[in-house]
């Protein structure tokens, strides 16, 4: 019999409605990929391999949101197969950009894009995985940060808490000694309410943060909304700012809906 | 003989493509009765929710259609918007956009050549299994891919969904020194790409030539990225604004992606083979020579050889990136101011997998009224089905398992990006033996 201690942890990568970018982050970890592949058994990863082994899996990485009836069923099966279930990216953790349908009439959307609407079957809402099954960890970002992913996999395998901070992008800006573009130049920036992880990329490239890591732990969206108004942003502009890649995350959702009411 | 019981082979997911689709082939005796490339990637409705968004948001939003080729989406979006808004960009910005695209081509082509396609030729399920026997090859591939990603990261902030490209230019442009720091890597990458051409040329290719209508951009003096007329080997020669007069999308029941066909002519081929065949004279000497040495004589009509052509385009992308870096002088301002106005603009750029069309109509506040996006894989989808009908017919005598793998390999030759075309590739070969 095989000894349990020799068993390499089995990883499965599952895709729902998404752009594939978050799972590609694993292949983009050029320096780490062969190391990771040596430490674990990548048992199911259709984007990278034709060999697809059945579950159960020690870790399941789930990319994408639930937008079809079939996917709502499939995620239940994926959950049953995975000891630890980790969602990766804004689609899986917040419904993604495709959650913009959640405020609209999806049947009208189908008619706009498809000539024969009766061929298309889809749910009215694009929803995050955690609305369907219990999730062990949600990794943020559109896309995720590959180093955070590797840290998360290592921590899970070691049975420790991952070092993935939930403070705001502002902290990363301060660490990089960026001059605050919102204060110094009046550029609307979602940094104060957005979770860190990107390395304050947008402010470092001279533009306001557009919130692709979703809400930080305790975001003060009301305060930021009034700041945006002071900077001359219209209600529609403020609502659009919150209604991006994490629009359905409840804090951002609440903020955009409040703008629409005023 | 009397027929055996009807057999169906199912391969649950066609792997190593971006997105989710399935392939269904039905054989009745020796005849290929039906071929369907089914795409059941869930629809995400980009064209619908882009309405009401500001033109400046389109490059960031449309990038999310595809994590493999976000730059292609950003480039088609910025060019279409600039046309709608009457914006002229600085020549230095134009040069940087070419360099940006070089980075995406290097990253995407390397991923496809070594990690998605080569395992088929060498009989491995994936690049990680391949690395056990060919570690140096896979290590070289990863390093090459990283060089492409370094370019994207420098110009765009990160590899996937970069944040710096915008209508009118870039949010931030690099210094000459920052670009110069890439030179050593790129010189290595150029050599590695030349080795890639030689390596791929030595693979075994099925004898399968088809009479394609190749469609690609063509520019007066460059191998195409962002500009040029849309041409074909059958006489097409149009501006992006005329695209919808010549190409129509049709919606077929088995797919969540729209099939694009040329009006009155049917399927056509976009991507590396089309670009190479129509623009071989625009390749720099080093890439043209590599192609000739690899035995590529245009027109190359064997889709399986597109792996070699991708390698030649890697050589081109490295050489072009070096040229751009040497010529670069930072623009006076990173981006020009772009006021809101009413307008309609179309653009076509060359994504790694082929032409990507965007059209936007804008209102007086710069908000999008209508959007239309035709990704390369929707354009190749019908051609993939046509090819498989021919190719499966050649393979009917083979055992189903091998035949299935061969058909998968044919599909992968297109480097289909189903995330783009919407998305799940599952191969089903169904065989019904006829009683005679």
């Amino acid at each position: 019999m095989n000894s349990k201690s020799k068993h390499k942890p089995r990883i499965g990568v599952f895709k729902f409605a998404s752009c594939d970018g978050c799972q590609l982050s694993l292949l983009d970890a050029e320096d780490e990929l062969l190391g990771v592949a040596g430490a674990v058994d990548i048992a199911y990863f259709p984007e990278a391999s034709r060999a697809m082994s059945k579950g159960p899996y020690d870790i399941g990485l789930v990319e994408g949101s639930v937008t079809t009836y079939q996917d709502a069923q499939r995620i239940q099966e994926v959950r049953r197969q995975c000891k630890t279930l980790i969602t990766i990216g804004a689609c899986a953790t917040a419904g993604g950009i495709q959650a913009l349908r959640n405020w609209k009439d999806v049947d009208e959307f189908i008619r706009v894009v498809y000539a024969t609407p009766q061929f298309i079957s889809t749910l009215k809402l694009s929803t995050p995985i955690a609305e369907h099954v219990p999730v062990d960890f949600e990794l943020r970002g559109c896309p995720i940060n590959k180093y955070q992913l590797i840290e998360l996999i290592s921590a899970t395998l070691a049975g420790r808490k991952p070092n993935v901070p939930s403070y705001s992008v502002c902290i990363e800006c301060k660490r990089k000694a960026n001059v605050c573009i919102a204060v110094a130049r009046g550029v609307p920036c979602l940094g104060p309410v957005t979770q860190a992880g990107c390395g304050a990329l947008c402010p470092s490239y001279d533009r306001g943060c557009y919130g692709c890591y979703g809400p930080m732990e305790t975001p003060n969206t009301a305060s930021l909304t009034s700041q945006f108004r002071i900077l001359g942003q219209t209600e529609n502009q403020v609502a659009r700012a919150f209604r991006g890649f994490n629009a359905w995350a409840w804090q951002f959702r609440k903020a955009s809906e409040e703008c629409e009411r005023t | 003989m009397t027929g055996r019981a009807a057999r169906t082979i199912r391969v649950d997911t066609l792997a190593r493509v971006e997105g989710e689709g399935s392939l269904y082939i039905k054989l009745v005796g020796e005849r290929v009765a039906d071929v369907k490339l089914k795409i059941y990637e869930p629809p995400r409705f980009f064209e619908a929710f882009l309405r009401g968004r500001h033109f400046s948001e389109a490059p960031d939003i449309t990038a999310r259609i595809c994590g493999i080729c976000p730059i292609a989406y950003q480039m088609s979006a910025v060019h279409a918007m600039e046309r709608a808004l009457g914006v002229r960009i600085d020549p230095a910005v134009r040069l940087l956009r070419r360099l940006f695209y070089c980075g995406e081509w290097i990253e995407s082509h390397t991923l496809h050549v070594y990690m998605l396609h080569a395992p088929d030729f060498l009989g491995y399920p994936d690049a990680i299994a391949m690395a056990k026997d060919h570690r140096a090859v896979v290590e070289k591939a990863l390093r090459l891919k990283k060089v492409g990603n370094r370019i994207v990261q420098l110009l765009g902030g990160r590899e996937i969904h970069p944040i710096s490209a915008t209508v009118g230019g870039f949010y931030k442009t690099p210094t000459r020194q920052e670009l110069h720091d890439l030179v050593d890597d790129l010189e290595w990458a150029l050599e590695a790409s030349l080795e890639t051409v030689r390596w791929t040329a030595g693979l075994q290719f099925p004898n399968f030539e088809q009479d394609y209508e190749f469609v690609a951009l063509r520019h007066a003096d460059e191998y195409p990225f962002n500009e040029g007329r849309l041409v074909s080997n059958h006489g097409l020669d149009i501006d992006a604004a005329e695209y919808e007069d010549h190409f129509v999308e049709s919606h077929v029941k088995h797919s969540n992606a729209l099939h694009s066909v040329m009006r009155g002519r049917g399927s056509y081929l976009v991507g590396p083979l089309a670009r190479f065949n129509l623009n071989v004279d625009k390749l720099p000497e080093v890439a043209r020579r590599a192609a000739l040495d690899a035995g590529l004589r245009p027109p190359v009509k064997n889709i399986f050889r597109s792996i070699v052509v991708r390698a030649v385009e890697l050589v081109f992308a490295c050489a072009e990136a070096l040229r751009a870096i040497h010529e670069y002088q930072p623009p006076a301002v990173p981006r020009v101011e772009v006021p809101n106005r009413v307008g309609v603009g179309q653009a076509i750029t060359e994504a790694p997998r082929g032409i990507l069309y965007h059209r936007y109509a804008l209102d007086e506040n710069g908000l999008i009224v209508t959007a239309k996006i035709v990704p390369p894989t929707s354009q190749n989808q019908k051609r993939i089905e046509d090819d498989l009908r021919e190719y499966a017919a050649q393979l009917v005598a083979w055992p189903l398992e091998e035949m299935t793998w061969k058909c998968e390999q044919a599909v992968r030759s297109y480097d289909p990006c189903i995330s783009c075309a919407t998305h799940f590739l599952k191969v089903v070969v169904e065989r019904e033996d006829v009683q005679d």
Side-chain angles (χ1 to χ4, degrees), chain A:
Chain A
M1 258 174 78
N2 284 335
S3 145
K4 276 271 178 200
S5 60
K6 284 190 181 161
H7 158 85
K8 271 196 197 174
R10 308 182 78 233
I11 294 190
V13 183
F14 304 90
K15 177 186 156 60
F16 290 77
S18 66
C19 78
D20 285 51
C22 289
Q23 49 178 316
L24 182 69
S25 300
L26 204 53
L27 299 179
D28 268 355
E30 291 97 357
D31 295 335
E32 297 82 8
L33 182 66
L34 292 177
V36 171
V40 300
D41 172 11
I42 301 178
Y44 184 87
F45 188 5
E47 183 164 310
S49 178
R50 196 175 183 268
M52 286 168 250
S53 332
K54 286 198 161 62
Y57 310 97
D58 295 286
I59 299 178
L61 300 174
V62 177
E63 174 193 272
S65 68
V66 175
T67 62
T68 65
Y69 174 77
Q70 291 82 350
D71 277 356
Q73 306 290 308
R74 184 162 61 99
I75 189 60
Q76 300 295 331
E77 182 53 30
V78 168
R79 174 69 267 193
R80 275 193 287 276
Q81 294 287 331
C82 299
K83 205 163 125 191
T84 299
L85 189 80
I86 294 171
T87 58
I88 53 172
C91 297
T93 62
I97 189 75
Q98 58 274 20
L100 292 179
R101 75 170 73 177
N102 297 5
W103 286 273
K104 305 282 184 183
D105 169 10
V106 78
D107 293 326
E108 193 267 344
F109 270 30
I110 296 172
R111 288 196 300 275
V112 167
V113 180
Y114 295 97
T116 324
Q118 61 271 27
F119 293 169
I120 297 295
S121 91
T122 189
L123 297 172
K124 289 197 183 313
L125 300 181
S126 167
T127 45
I129 301 301
E131 282 193 25
H132 299 265
V133 294
V135 170
D136 297 291
F137 195 93
E138 295 187 314
L139 189 63
R140 304 286 200 79
C142 184
I144 57 168
N145 175 326
K146 64 187 176 190
Y147 300 108
Q148 286 195 335
L149 177 64
I150 289 166
E151 159 61 13
L152 181 53
I153 294 173
S154 315
T156 306
L157 296 178
R160 63 173 170 82
K161 189 172 178 286
N163 179 17
V164 176
S166 53
Y167 49 67
S168 75
V169 170
C170 291
I171 307 290
E172 291 185 316
C173 254
K174 298 291 171 287
R175 287 218 179 106
K176 288 177 95 169
N178 286 344
V179 172
C180 177
I181 55 168
V183 172
R185 302 219 335 267
V187 176
C189 178
L190 285 178
V193 297
T194 300
Q195 181 169 303
C198 62
L201 269 185
C202 287
S204 307
Y205 275 70
D206 205 24
R207 70 180 291 195
C209 163
Y210 59 81
C212 65
Y213 276 63
M216 65 170 302
E217 205 164 15
T218 49
N220 190 344
T221 52
S223 166
L224 191 70
T225 298
S226 50
Q227 195 58 38
F228 274 28
R229 287 186 188 123
I230 292 166
L231 293 175
Q233 295 275 294
T234 64
E235 295 306 304
N236 179 277
Q237 284 172 317
V238 183
R240 279 208 318 266
F242 285 109
R243 216 160 271 185
F245 307 104
N246 289 278
W248 199 243
W250 71 268
Q251 300 96 327
F252 283 7
R253 179 178 158 190
K254 186 162 150 272
S256 71
E257 287 174 356
E258 273 164 8
C259 290
E260 280 188 332
R261 274 197 290 275
T262 48

Side-chain angles (χ1 to χ4, degrees), chain B residues 122-142:
Chain B
L122 300 177
Y124 295 95
D126 54 58
I128 289 163
M130 195 169 95
K132 293 195 175 93
D133 301 328
H134 303 271
R135 183 143 186 130
V137 170
V138 176
E139 281 176 348
K140 183 169 71 188
L142 289 168

